[in-house]
Amino acid sequence: MTVLALRNVSRSFGPIEVLHGVDIALRPGRVHALIGENGAGKSTTMKIMTGYQPPSSGQVLLDGRPVGFANMGAAEDQGISMIHQEFNLAEQLTVEQNIFLGRELKRGPFLDKPAMRARTRELLDRLECRVSPDRVVSTLSNSDKQMVEIAKALLRDTRVLVMDEPTAVLTRAETAILLRQVRALREAGTAVLFTSHKLDEVEEIADDLTIMRDGRVVWTGEAAAMDQHAMANAMVGREMSDLFPAKVSTPGEVALEVANLSVPGFSHDVGFTLRRGEVLGVAGLIGSGRTETFEGLCGLRPATGEVRVFGQPVRIDHPWQAQDLGLCYLTEDRKTRGLLLGKGLRENLTLQALSKFDRGLLDTGAEDRALTQAIADFDIRGHRDALVGNLSGGNQQKLLFAKTMLADPQIIVIDEPTRGIDIGTKQQMYVLIRRLAAQGRAIVVISSEMQEVIGLADRILVMRHGRVTGELGADATEDAIVRLAMGVAPTPSKEPA
Amino acid sequence: MSDAAVPAAPRRIRMTVIGPILALVLLVVAGALMNPNFLGWDNVTNVLARSAFIGIIAVGMTFVITAGGLDLSVGSMAAFIAGLMILVMNSLVPSMGVGVPVILVGMAVALLAGLAAGLLNGILITRLGIEAFIVTLGSMGIYRSLVTWLADGGTLSLDFNLRSLYQPVYYGGIFGITWPIIVFALVVLVGEVVMRSTAFGRYCAAIGSNEQVAKYSSVRVDRVRLMTYAALGLLVGIATIMYVPRLGSASSATGMLWELEAIAAVIIGGTVLKGGFGRVWGTVIGVLILTLIGNLLNLTDFVSPYLNGAIQGAIIVLAVVLQREGKAR
């Protein structure tokens, strides 16, 4: 028995078909995982199921009958909700107002605030989310926003819940809460469809599994039939070798020395040294001040402390000063801080190192050659005249990388290098990072993925509440990192630097 | 979404490119049909010369708006500079006599005053982080009041002899093309090249489309924005230099509503009001459209010239609607 299904659905944008005869069926009381590389067609499939886009051909079946949702509201009225990767919340309204947006409870002509308050509290409690219903959504962390989205869906008596990468921005603890909620929904008979790049989660919670590649379903069936390795192979279409490249580089001269670095409100007395050829991992929970600390270091926020670059004491108040010293920060937030989504690849690629192309007038020929080179070097796939906003996440990330590297930094801080990108692209990023280290560059990788830090870094700095709580070697275990990140127990390793 | 499905960028902009040109062509054709003198040399140079003041300012405004800013003070800034220029020149006549040096000093005063006024706006906006709308709304009031005060509520008139010496700057020219048109053309040429082909133009568009991204890309955001206001101030100075010899006077009514005409021209020309995309040649078309409407109403007795403002207003709204449709495609 299926509640919502696609039968032989294709979808074209202009002359190009991106989905080819997709079949997928959601059953009540089952969790269905949809996995695939970036650009495989997962998001388009989800949007068609929830009425955000119509199929070009084929049928959407609800309870076995073909339906055409006129719009997303029509799908919602049928009990089908979708939670997007980019949140769909009114940023200036409160949590409570968002949850009830469009379905406010009323008593006569007036809003029934006590009833809404009680219901909001109840929903948030169910989600173990401690934010106040009065908080304005724009002040919430990403994970709390996610919980508000889920609360919204819960309110709507959802029969089918579709979630596009719900755990991408969540910490482990928050992910655990989310997965508990998903299980509760399953018990209640809801059909759940979700995508994730985290295959361990998929293995843990999915009942059914569909794997897509290049707009086609390449495998579908009971999730228990696949282990993580088999999933990865099916997604990529080839045998996946080791995810992480060998750590071959040898540390050279000291590139960066930081002492007593403080970013008001975020971090205190951070200190470390970094050598050429090294990859320094920075681990910690979301909200531990890692991003802010390194933004402070690179002149993106007000900060105090002593910084030496290649032995010279320096003062960095602006990002361009950092870049002049050979120090670049690669943001975790590629959509709002990294790339101009409304501009083309070329303008984005050369923005950070535009002076290289400035001969009084800009040398657009040289810019085009640089783009050709970057597309080849970084394996960026997509039309070279495309708007960057239309590229897939993985290709945006590669472009952001290419853009930063065009400035030829010697010290590179990379914040969440693989957030929201597929496993094939991840592997490419890891190879790239190690190659940069092997070239003698000094690299900092900030990551919330423990395996990534361990697999990539030569040394690991762990932060908690804005302070460095410990430094671990390349042989660190997840357990040791978690202990330092949560502050649960002392560790036998070195004192804080 | 598959990578191959990514639509190419240029397609999207096409309608907004054609729109303003089409409107201008329509206006010219309509004008030629309604009045045979419309395409005559005299009328064409008249239209261009009238466009020059707003046009020179609007070129600067294009950069400010492209970088995500706004400047409401340009009209009263022009009036203030005109008043200042006249006062300085008049006061120099007793010591320096009536001659070209006095006029050169006056021009230098206009350029410096424009640059200083623009820098002041820019510094308040970038260093103190006050909204451009608020800062320039304030300076608009300040300059307007200053010129009224300088003129003691009346009119400041240039020394009669100086005036006849200065007049050729507005009325004279070479090959029958008057100086305001030549200067306007030069400003447009330089502006177009700067916007299209220099790092500065690229930075303006980057800052206007997403200031955070520009900042994270090591662009010197504050300096670029400051420079857009300074350049605009300088251009207001140049426009005033061309304007003063026309009437030889300045009063509290000088340059009234120029800021709105300049902003309107920029928007009609296809520059995005919230920044991120600008084109100087579009602004020129915008200025010409606005001037042509007034000119047409004067040449024909079809519609009362008093309705000039209403028609211009309708065109501005229409231009923005067309822009949005171009985007939604």
Side-chain angles (χ1 to χ4, degrees):
Chain A
M1 193 191 89
T2 64
V3 47
L4 183 65
L6 295 186
R7 185 183 292 160
N8 197 21
V9 160
S10 298
R11 168 75 192 175
S12 305
F13 293 101
I16 301 140
E17 192 173 274
V18 297
L19 284 189
H20 319 284
V22 167
D23 287 290
I24 186 169
L26 306 186
R27 296 184 279 172
R30 307 273 289 181
V31 175
H32 195 131
L34 177 62
I35 62 175
E37 292 192 273
N38 289 322
K42 304 183 301 283
S43 293
T44 309
T45 302
M46 291 184 149
K47 284 176 185 165
I48 290 173
M49 294 188 96
T50 50
Y52 279 79
Q53 287 175 358
S56 300
S57 68
Q59 287 176 321
V60 183
L61 302 175
L62 181 65
D63 298 322
R65 285 187 304 278
V67 286
F69 299 124
N71 51 50
M72 55 194 231
E76 222 172 69
D77 290 341
Q78 301 284 347
I80 301 168
S81 291
M82 175 156 179
I83 298 176
H84 292 262
Q85 234 170 314
E86 284 86 31
F87 300 122
N88 218 342
L89 297 170
E91 293 271 324
Q92 296 308 320
L93 297 186
T94 64
V95 170
E96 181 185 314
Q97 287 165 339
N98 262 287
I99 289 176
F100 282 90
L101 193 62
R103 9 202 114 195
E104 287 80 1
L105 302 180
K106 290 192 182 137
R107 192 190 291 152
F110 301 107
L111 293 176
D112 188 355
K113 286 194 180 159
M116 288 196 283
R117 168 61 47 91
R119 191 92 177 87
T120 302
R121 199 57 269 169
E122 178 203 330
L123 288 170
L124 291 177
D125 284 345
R126 240 171 96 185
L127 294 170
E128 299 169 53
C129 176
R130 274 182 286 276
V131 303
S132 153
D134 286 328
R135 279 276 289 278
V136 172
V137 162
S138 63
T139 66
L140 297 182
S141 67
N142 275 338
S143 46
D144 285 336
K145 286 182 187 174
Q146 180 84 57
M147 291 300 167
V148 175
E149 282 275 18
I150 294 166
K152 233 173 112 174
L154 290 177
L155 179 76
R156 282 159 175 67
D157 290 328
T158 299
R159 294 169 64 203
V160 180
L161 179 63
V162 177
M163 295 186 282
D164 196 358
E165 281 197 51
T167 59
V169 296
L170 300 189
T171 62
R172 292 186 140 222
E174 290 160 345
T175 300
I177 295 172
L178 176 71
L179 295 186
R180 267 210 296 286
Q181 279 310 307
V182 170
R183 286 197 190 91
L185 286 168
R186 172 168 66 189
E187 299 307 317
T190 308
V192 178
L193 176 68
F194 80 104
T195 58
S196 175
H197 287 305
K198 298 176 184 166
L199 299 182
D200 51 344
E201 281 168 25
V202 173
E203 196 172 41
E204 187 185 333
I205 194 153
D207 303 307
D208 299 313
L209 176 66
T210 297
I211 303 175
M212 292 186 71
R213 188 169 72 229
D214 299 331
R216 288 190 171 79
V217 172
V218 292
W219 194 90
T220 187
E222 300 255 335
M226 288 285 233
D227 65 6
Q228 290 185 40
H229 187 73
M231 287 182 212
N233 285 343
M235 277 166 60
V236 182
R238 59 186 147 85
E239 183 67 21
M240 289 292 296
S241 53
D242 269 348
L243 191 54
F244 296 100
K247 302 173 182 174
V248 285
S249 48
T250 45
E253 63 171 315
V254 173
L256 184 63
E257 290 171 88
V258 175
N260 304 321
L261 180 69
S262 297
V263 176
F266 293 102
S267 64
H268 326 275
D269 297 333
V270 172
F272 63 92
T273 57
L274 176 65
R275 292 174 179 277
R276 279 185 180 276
E278 254 190 333
V279 177
L280 175 68
V282 180
L285 302 178
I286 290 176
S288 58
R290 295 166 302 167
T291 293
E292 291 81 2
T293 303
F294 283 89
E295 285 188 347
L297 172 68
C298 297
L300 288 152
R301 294 175 181 273
T304 58
E306 294 103 60
V307 179
R308 284 169 182 270
V309 174
F310 296 115
Q312 296 299 313
V314 295
R315 186 181 159 78
I316 301 171
D317 292 321
H318 298 282
W320 50 268
Q321 290 170 330
Q323 186 168 321
D324 286 348
L325 294 164
L327 167 63
C328 278
Y329 169 82
L330 214 149
T331 177
E332 62 177 331
D333 190 350
R334 58 179 171 258
K335 281 182 195 294
T336 66
R337 289 178 177 163
L339 297 169
L340 300 171
L341 301 183
K343 300 271 178 204
L345 271 68
R346 195 187 57 173
E347 284 103 319
N348 271 285
L349 177 69
T350 58
L351 183 62
Q352 191 148 3
L354 204 55
S355 56
K356 284 192 173 179
F357 303 92
D358 192 355
R359 316 203 181 352
L361 301 183
L362 290 175
D363 184 348
T364 48
E367 282 187 273
D368 276 325
R369 286 192 294 281
L371 178 57
T372 305
Q373 186 71 40
I375 287 174
D377 287 353
F378 293 85
D379 188 29
I380 300 168
R381 296 173 206 170
H383 199 292
R384 65 183 284 146
D385 295 327
L387 295 180
V388 165
N390 292 334
L391 295 181
S392 70
N395 283 313
Q396 287 179 351
Q397 186 69 10
K398 289 177 186 171
L399 179 65
L400 179 59
F401 222 107
K403 167 187 162 180
T404 311
M405 291 318 298
L406 204 56
D408 196 26
Q410 294 302 306
I411 308 168
I412 313 157
V413 179
I414 310 170
D415 201 349
E416 302 287 0
T418 64
R419 172 175 289 171
I421 67 179
D422 63 77
I423 193 154
T425 310
K426 263 187 187 176
Q427 195 183 19
Q428 288 179 318
M429 294 310 256
Y430 297 150
V431 171
L432 211 65
I433 290 170
R434 281 310 323 186
R435 196 192 299 150
L436 293 174
Q439 288 168 1
R441 296 178 209 262
I443 296 173
V444 175
V445 171
I446 304 173
S447 175
S448 300
E449 280 188 48
M450 225 84 73
Q451 289 177 356
E452 185 167 285
V453 178
I454 294 170
L456 210 50
D458 299 308
R459 283 184 299 135
I460 299 166
L461 224 52
V462 186
M463 287 186 67
R464 174 170 183 269
H465 291 338
R467 289 178 195 276
V468 174
T469 49
E471 190 183 317
L472 302 167
D475 54 350
T477 59
E478 283 196 35
D479 185 57
I481 296 175
V482 171
R483 280 170 186 281
L484 286 172
M486 314 269 288
V488 278
T491 66
S493 65
K494 286 183 242 170
E495 283 297 294
Chain B
M1 184 189 289
S2 155
D3 298 330
V6 168
R11 264 189 104 76
R12 204 187 63 135
I13 311 175
R14 212 157 278 166
M15 178 58 210
T16 61
V17 173
I18 299 172
I21 301 177
L22 213 65
L24 183 62
V25 169
L26 277 177
L27 271 176
V28 170
V29 170
L33 290 177
M34 281 190 263
N35 191 318
N37 294 330
F38 181 75
L39 286 178
W41 180 256
D42 285 346
N43 192 51
V44 169
T45 49
N46 174 34
V47 166
L48 289 174
R50 279 165 167 271
S51 304
F53 310 123
I54 301 291
I56 291 168
I57 294 171
V59 169
M61 191 69 83
T62 309
F63 286 89
V64 168
I65 291 181
T66 300
L70 192 68
D71 192 338
L72 296 172
S73 70
V74 290
S76 48
M77 194 192 288
F80 171 65
I81 295 170
L84 193 67
M85 221 179 140
I86 290 170
L87 274 183
V88 168
M89 286 194 287
N90 283 349
S91 70
L92 287 177
V93 169
S95 55
M96 292 172 71
V98 173
V100 176
V102 176
I103 291 174
L104 290 179
V105 170
M107 288 179 171
V109 165
L111 294 180
L112 284 176
L115 189 64
L119 277 172
L120 188 67
N121 277 341
I123 286 169
L124 288 172
I125 290 162
T126 57
R127 294 280 180 268
L128 300 186
I130 310 173
E131 289 277 338
F133 186 95
I134 303 298
V135 168
T136 59
L137 189 66
S139 53
M140 171 170 97
I142 291 169
Y143 295 133
R144 182 64 66 196
S145 152
L146 281 179
V147 72
T148 314
W149 174 67
L150 286 180
D152 205 11
T155 301
L156 285 165
S157 294
L158 189 57
D159 178 275
F160 184 78
N161 295 320
L162 261 184
R163 199 172 147 185
S164 35
L165 190 66
Y166 195 175
Q167 260 177 353
V169 171
Y170 179 75
Y171 294 99
I174 36 176
F175 307 125
I177 302 170
T178 55
W179 290 115
I181 301 176
I182 294 168
V183 172
F184 180 30
L186 285 176
V187 166
V188 167
L189 270 178
V190 172
E192 176 68 23
V193 169
V194 169
M195 180 64 90
R196 192 184 281 267
S197 318
T198 66
F200 179 72
R202 193 71 71 77
Y203 287 150
C204 286
I207 293 168
S209 55
N210 188 332
E211 195 179 327
Q212 284 289 323
V213 172
K215 176 178 158 192
Y216 277 73
S217 304
S218 304
V219 175
R220 301 173 76 156
V221 174
D222 282 352
R223 198 167 76 162
V224 172
R225 291 178 69 196
L226 180 62
M227 280 168 72
T228 62
Y229 289 101
L232 175 55
L234 194 65
L235 287 170
V236 172
I238 293 175
T240 313
I241 289 175
M242 311 310 299
Y243 177 79
V244 166
R246 183 178 167 205
L247 296 177
S249 65
S251 72
S252 59
T254 302
M256 204 55 126
L257 295 185
W258 280 12
E259 61 281 343
L260 292 187
E261 281 196 46
I263 293 168
V266 171
I267 302 310
I268 292 172
T271 295
V272 179
L273 181 57
K274 62 182 172 36
F277 177 77
R279 50 179 180 221
V280 170
W281 65 261
T283 297
V284 175
I285 290 182
V287 173
L288 292 179
I289 288 176
L290 288 179
T291 320
L292 273 182
I293 293 167
N295 182 246
L296 262 178
L297 296 184
N298 278 328
L299 287 183
T300 60
D301 33 3
F302 226 51
V303 183
S304 161
Y306 295 131
L307 284 174
N308 188 358
I311 294 176
Q312 287 188 348
I315 294 221
I316 293 164
V317 175
L318 193 68
V320 174
V321 171
L322 285 177
Q323 256 186 31
R324 205 177 42 194
E325 291 194 339
K327 253 195 164 167
R329 271 158 24 106

